[in-house]
Amino acid sequence: MWWRDGVIYQVYPRSFADSNGDGVGDLRGIIDHLDHLSWLGIDGLWLNPTFPSPNADWGFDVSDYRGVHPELGTLEDLDELVARARERGIHVLLDLVPNHTSDEHPWFRERRDFYVWREGRDGGPPNNWLSIFGGPAWTRDDETGLWYLHNFDPKQPDLDWWNDDVRAEFDDILRFWFDRGIAGFRIDVAHGIVKDRELRDNPEATAEDAEVVQRLGQRLVFSMNRPEVHDVLRNWRSLSDQYDGVLVGETYVHDLETLARFYGEDGVDELHLAFNFVFLLAQFDVETLAPVVARTEELLPEHAWPVWTVGNHDITRFATRWARGDAGLARCVLMLLLTLRGTPVLYYGDELAMAETEIPPDRVVDPEARRTGTGRDGARTPMPWSDAVGLGFTEAGVEPWLPFGDASVANVASQRADPGSPLCLVRDLIALRRSEPDLLGGEYTELHAAGDVWVYRRGSRHLVALNCGDEETVIEGAGTIVICTDRRRDGERVERALRLAPRSGALVRLATPNDG
Ligand code: GLC
Ligand code: CA
């Protein structure tokens, strides 16, 4: 199955490539750069929202689920992208946003029963629920005096998933896109769309909760995360199965037991892939991450398949957040991502170890930044295709919708020409995965994970050793280095022990297979 063996690439369409010089990336721009994805060896392309939207949350506020945003192109452009991608063996996934619509969606006027409306309590909102973007999760409608629910921005009213008509609409939307050749969906807020029927107050966060929960101040046990969400996912799975479609969920949960449940019974009747935010939001140190991987391996149901990411459009780029600007550590992160058991998802620019871009205050456009102070714009800046004026993203002299980052090191053209670059490392690791069954289905066996050194075996013959620390380390074993983050060492024989310089990693083919 392509989504188990392959690599998925996430594109933020406004920032990938601008074909018409208006400073905003678009679908034709993606079509023009499919070569890059083929060259990398990508199998799946997940597009962040492509639907018409007033852009209060840059496409995550949808005003028509069956269309294409005019700034990004037309429905015909999307059809063409899907067809061209298919010629290259690339499957296109759309970003479905079922938790909420835009307040400018016609439903918000015509089908008020599609949304969650309530009387206020003591002159205030109906309950204590907080919005992820800050402030109460309720806004009062002046005309009726009733309050509507929005777990995100006030311009993103939550749909009422207790209403069967809402469910029927989304079944139809899924079919609409499957019929057009879409290979599947990333499902936004997949854990959260069903709300407590009685709208009970959320409990306060405690010291044991994940950092993000503590920052918010309450556990979202009633405003999201209801068990009934699994009924919706099971239904979508059976619908998707009729098309061989794939469902990848934004399962933003903070413990792995809960995550495992999103794969359904035996791991086969809900999501095909459930994003692992425990891994993604962890600190980058071996003694934190290795146990997360081990626990994930242990807890996923038999037929479930892990999925790994080191970044996305909502968090600081990994080269800054995890690797802290260190080129060697960034390569270790990429080696980790591409050698764990499971499907890797690369966020555009990850293959360049692209850093977070600093956004001057007058260029901030993220609604979350305006309300909470921490923004996501810095991880969404234009793809640097070259160091030319406009970075190959747009025409020279055009101001892009978000400022350019520093393209002096991270750009496709220069990294393609440099065999030691992160880009070539990613490409070569992907090529190796394709040809090496150990790296696809082979078991993950942790051999050592202490201090800054992480060593694991994949299948019977492959060993991955990552030295994330500042000291040289020596790892026992014999074989041949297939790929080292220091590419000059590719092909080196390892007689008895592998010496690894600080902040470097190696993938070794063992001389003697380990069948134990
Ligand atoms: C998800 C998206 C995020 C968006 C939010 C509301 O978390 O990844 O970008 O702001 O949902 O749709
Ligand atoms: Ca454009």
Side-chain angles (χ1 to χ4, degrees), residues 57 60 97 100 133 152 156 186 188-189 250 313-314 376 380:
D57 189 20
F60 285 98
V97 189
H100 45 264
F133 289 167
F152 296 89
Q156 294 169 294
R186 177 264 190 183
D188 194 57
V189 197
E250 188 205 17
H313 61 291
D314 290 329
R376 303 167 293 179
R380 300 174 174 179

Side-chain angles (χ1 to χ4, degrees), residues 422-436:
L423 180 61
C424 290
L425 177 69
V426 167
R427 179 191 186 227
D428 295 345
L429 284 168
I430 292 176
L432 188 68
R433 285 173 60 91
R434 281 181 177 281
S435 61
E436 185 42 71

Side-chain angles (χ1 to χ4, degrees), residues 48-88:
N48 274 134
T50 42
F51 311 107
S53 161
N55 284 341
D57 189 20
W58 302 108
F60 285 98
D61 47 322
V62 178
S63 55
D64 173 9
Y65 289 91
R66 295 177 184 80
V68 168
H69 198 299
E71 278 182 304
L72 303 181
T74 62
L75 200 50
E76 289 67 41
D77 293 331
L78 183 53
D79 288 342
E80 186 178 336
L81 169 56
V82 170
R84 297 282 194 83
R86 187 186 298 120
E87 288 161 17
R88 295 158 187 268

Side-chain angles (χ1 to χ4, degrees), residues 269-345:
D269 71 353
E270 293 188 37
L271 298 172
H272 298 80
L273 299 170
F275 280 129
N276 190 330
F277 283 89
V278 181
F279 178 84
L280 182 60
L281 300 178
Q283 297 293 321
F284 186 70
D285 66 74
V286 172
E287 294 190 359
T288 306
L289 279 183
V292 173
V293 171
R295 211 51 200 134
T296 303
E297 286 281 350
E298 198 179 310
L299 285 169
L300 287 202
E302 194 188 337
H303 300 291
W305 188 246
V307 53
W308 305 103
T309 47
V310 296
N312 67 30
H313 61 291
D314 290 329
I315 64 171
T316 307
R317 285 198 174 264
F318 86 85
T320 305
R321 178 176 42 89
W322 269 4
R324 299 181 302 276
D326 184 273
L329 268 188
R331 285 170 175 75
C332 290
V333 173
L334 291 168
M335 182 168 273
L336 172 70
L337 173 68
L338 293 162
T339 58
L340 287 174
R341 190 184 73 100
T343 301
V345 180

Side-chain angles (χ1 to χ4, degrees), residues 236-277:
W236 286 346
R237 173 64 175 255
S238 63
L239 193 159
S240 304
D241 281 347
Q242 296 163 23
Y243 295 88
D244 264 336
V246 182
L247 302 176
V248 190
E250 188 205 17
T251 37
Y252 199 92
V253 299
H254 307 294
D255 68 279
L256 297 166
E257 287 79 1
T258 308
L259 178 68
R261 273 181 233 131
F262 283 93
Y263 286 91
E265 191 73 26
D266 292 332
V268 295
D269 71 353
E270 293 188 37
L271 298 172
H272 298 80
L273 299 170
F275 280 129
N276 190 330
F277 283 89

Side-chain angles (χ1 to χ4, degrees), residues 17-27 29 71-72 393-394:
D18 170 21
S19 69
N20 61 350
D22 64 357
V24 177
D26 45 58
L27 298 178
E71 278 182 304
L72 303 181
F393 167 77
T394 188

